[in-house]
Amino acid sequence: KAGVTQTPRYLIKTRGQQVTLSCSPISGHRSVSWYQQTPGQGLQFLFEYFSETQRNKGNFPGRFSGRQFSNSRSEMNVSTLELGDSALYLCASTYLGGSGEKLFFGSGTQLSVL
Amino acid sequence: KQEVTQIPAALSVPEGENLVLNCSFTDSAIYNLQWFRQDPGKGLTSLLLIQSSQREQTSGRLNASLDKSSGRSTLYIAASQPGDSATYLCAVRAGIQGAQKLVFGQGTRLTINP
């Protein structure tokens, strides 16, 4: 089974621009969650989607948004980029098994805002 | 507000030693706790998942314990190897039903010296 695929792997943008990141979950996984990782703040939860509906949202400004498509693929968008948005953005898909919810992460998109 | 703390932030040990990584959380009302491994510039790999009703989980040389009442978890690594060098993160799933999210610790950067 293919793992979680995130594209692009690296991205360089300038302040004020917008960016769209893509995540394809493992086949059959219907839940996708997004995280921001920075050296200072660590890993922080952005939002979670299940069957095209946003199920939960972290404490990020409205510039951060996302969506999920009927094939479970998800995108996140950041508008009006700021220097502080530079981070590794990770996507995870969730498998619900007998031992509970287990997350599988992609390799991430490294975003640099100049 | 749930907070997760990992101590120490970094650890360096010689190959072959047994070691313990610590994780503490402030609110015992958790759904589960998960230990992850992260290699530089990569996504996270799930190591062990412990449900709130469980006390421990084992996988190969790894053993994770959970004491909800004291808000603590430990990850025990037996007979450490250079390939175990990575950052280890713990995360608790907490929140109200249907709106749970993962809260991560800052991680312990582990170096195993040959």
Side-chain angles (χ1 to χ4, degrees):
Chain A
K1 233 180 197 183
V4 178
T5 303
Q6 289 190 248
T7 56
R9 184 70 180 90
Y10 301 94
L11 206 48
I12 299 175
K13 292 286 187 178
T14 56
R15 279 181 300 172
Q17 287 187 312
Q18 75 163 20
V19 66
T20 299
L21 311 182
S22 179
C23 172
S24 294
I26 293 173
S27 178
H29 291 194
R30 295 164 63 189
S31 172
V32 172
S33 50
W34 289 88
Y35 302 83
Q36 181 196 64
Q37 187 175 32
T38 59
Q41 298 297 318
L43 260 161
Q44 296 186 87
F45 170 75
L46 280 157
F47 25 66
E48 180 182 16
Y49 288 87
F50 180 81
S51 294
E52 302 179 66
T53 301
Q54 187 178 88
R55 189 158 68 171
N56 200 0
K57 191 177 189 301
N59 297 322
F60 278 82
R63 300 185 297 106
F64 291 80
S65 63
R67 59 178 176 169
Q68 186 180 32
F69 302 95
S70 58
N71 62 358
S72 293
R73 190 177 71 85
S74 177
E75 288 181 348
M76 68 163 280
N77 184 276
V78 188
S79 62
T80 320
L81 284 166
E82 300 177 359
L83 295 179
D85 297 333
S86 295
L88 179 65
Y89 289 87
L90 293 165
C91 161
S93 69
T94 301
Y95 170 74
L96 181 58
S99 58
E101 295 184 349
K102 190 171 181 181
L103 269 67
F104 295 83
F105 281 82
S107 296
T109 293
Q110 185 68 54
L111 173 64
S112 297
V113 182
L114 306 178
Chain B
K1 178 188 171 189
Q2 178 73 262
E3 292 183 0
V4 180
T5 303
Q6 291 186 247
I7 294 173
L11 182 63
S12 180
V13 301
E15 180 179 4
E17 281 203 3
N18 303 324
L19 58 100
V20 175
L21 306 181
N22 297 294
C23 171
S24 61
F25 45 95
T26 54
D27 187 344
S28 62
I30 64 170
Y31 185 65
N32 60 40
L33 183 145
Q34 203 160 172
W35 281 93
F36 295 89
R37 167 190 173 133
Q38 186 175 29
D39 293 286
K42 300 285 182 63
L44 280 65
T45 300
S46 178
L47 298 173
L48 290 164
L49 169 67
I50 311 177
Q51 296 300 324
S52 61
S53 58
Q54 297 175 323
R55 297 283 293 183
E56 66 175 355
Q57 284 287 336
T58 298
S59 175
R61 294 183 294 109
L62 305 179
N63 175 276
S65 68
L66 174 63
D67 184 343
K68 257 188 20 171
S69 61
S70 66
R72 292 181 182 179
S73 176
T74 62
L75 178 66
Y76 175 82
I77 303 177
S80 59
Q81 303 171 358
D84 295 330
S85 297
T87 296
Y88 290 79
L89 299 110
C90 75
V92 298
R93 181 175 286 277
I96 61 174
Q97 185 72 24
Q100 296 164 353
K101 62 180 183 181
L102 279 184
V103 179
F104 283 85
Q106 292 278 47
T108 294
R109 189 172 68 253
L110 176 64
T111 303
I112 306 299
N113 302 303

